[in-house]
Amino acid sequence: MSRSTTDSASSVTLPTPKERRRLREALALSEEQVAEAMGVTKATIKAWESGRSSPRGRKREAYAKLLSASEAAEATRAASGASGTPTGVSDASDASGASGASGASGASGASAFAKPDSGSEPQPAPSPALAPAPVKPVPREPVLPFLNVRPKAAVKRAAKPPGAPSAVRAVAPGPARKGAPKPQERLKPAAAEPAPAPEPAQPPPAPGLTPEEAFDALYAYAAPGLVHQTYLLTGRRRLSRESVEYAFHHAWEHWPEVAVDADPVGWVRATAYEYALSPWHRLRRAHKHPDSPPTEANRRALLAALLELPPPYRRTVLLYDGLGLDLPDTAAETEASTPAAANRLLHARTVLGQRIPELAEPETLHRRLRELVSEAPTATLPAARVVRSGSERRTRKWTRTVLGVTAVLICVTAITAATAPTHYLPVEVPGETVNGVPVRGGPEKLGPEDVELRDRLRSQPNPGPERLIPAAQ
């Protein structure tokens, strides 16, 4: 490959990792199909979509063309929806073609998760076969002017005005199978969605903001809430503070990447959740058992039911019903497929409904989790300057440790090379009997001590009596 071709391929701009996953699902392609088309493995596609790596060379250019084709298809679908074509039909066909026999049921079940309005009065439940799924009006998240970006969830919610009807309708799920229900909802076409309202102009970023000031603003904005969310995941206050501090340490070490991310809060949240849910904390005595439960009966029962769920299910239900993320973003943050995230959400809702009967309805569970997550955090955190200095100090410590170990290895190698023998000294091995042939006889070769003793005996006279020699008669 020539240098000009390599430079042109490396200059191709790719969307963010979460956007890559969403565009692939918009084309109704599985990870195996994309991997086969790109000539790589499924694990490589997962790494590209999770942000652990990025394609290079010609594969980067081909991957960018694939994603641009998905964007063009979305633009065409949006244009047809604006001209009056029912969007529910196209959405249903895309969802049914995105996966096989098992994946289709998961995708259809994922689309049936509509978020209710937590502040509205309870209304009589309409017929589940005809009524559209309720839509939860989520308050717009504030713009983060210090990074000149808005959270990805807020951008997606702004594209759809509150109270807009859902594009799909769902019927009641089928019978459960061995405790974990499978999503059996079927998609039906609905009325066309209205055109999205124009988004208000974004305020310009604050001028002259240094990376330290931007990090401090992000820390003050997200750290207290993340500590409370991590406590709901683990039930351990000390571990939650440690996880959030570790996540911000990691964010400051990778600040050039975090500063340009479309969802910096999500980047830090994913790191904190991964650290908090690590199974290695069970080996630590301080984090072996959860803290004492809250005094309120309702909060204590809900927190105990959450902690009984497996960590992936607990994280999925907290992200979807607690934080209000949509299903593709929840699946991307938990590094699972969308049908798998839907199955986890259904199972978590079923288990929580069995433990607490009053939470059997998804609307009630969603409202309770939102109230639990939106509580004012009470944890005391160190200042942002302390977190930054601690991250820099830890980086310097690890750098010095690596340099010290490298210097010790160099010194040991040099000493070994200086003291090693320059030629081979054969070792005299005593004789052995081979195939019945005895060892060679005769006097052995005298050593230095034997030669010295022989010379001394020959040079000195015998001090004993004279030897008697018999005479012949």
Side-chain angles (χ1 to χ4, degrees), residues 271-282:
T271 306
Y273 285 7
E274 289 289 344
Y275 182 86
L277 296 177
S278 174
W280 294 104
H281 295 307
R282 302 174 185 173

Side-chain angles (χ1 to χ4, degrees), residues 293-338:
T295 56
E296 297 85 352
N298 294 335
R299 295 181 70 253
R300 181 172 64 250
L302 181 54
L303 185 59
L306 280 175
L307 294 180
E308 288 187 0
L309 292 172
Y313 296 80
R314 193 187 320 159
R315 184 177 179 182
T316 301
V317 73
L318 182 65
L319 289 175
Y320 188 84
D321 282 328
L323 299 181
L325 270 67
D326 56 2
L327 200 59
D329 283 349
T330 302
E333 187 161 328
T334 56
E335 295 187 2
S337 62
T338 303

Side-chain angles (χ1 to χ4, degrees), residues 337-373:
S337 62
T338 303
N343 286 327
R344 290 176 180 177
L345 184 59
L346 283 175
H347 178 76
R349 285 178 170 179
T350 303
V351 173
L352 292 177
Q354 293 174 354
R355 285 296 311 272
I356 308 176
E358 61 184 19
L359 300 182
E361 292 295 331
E363 294 83 1
T364 308
L365 174 62
H366 168 71
R367 177 175 54 81
R368 289 282 302 277
L369 283 178
R370 288 288 291 181
E371 293 174 356
L372 198 61
V373 170

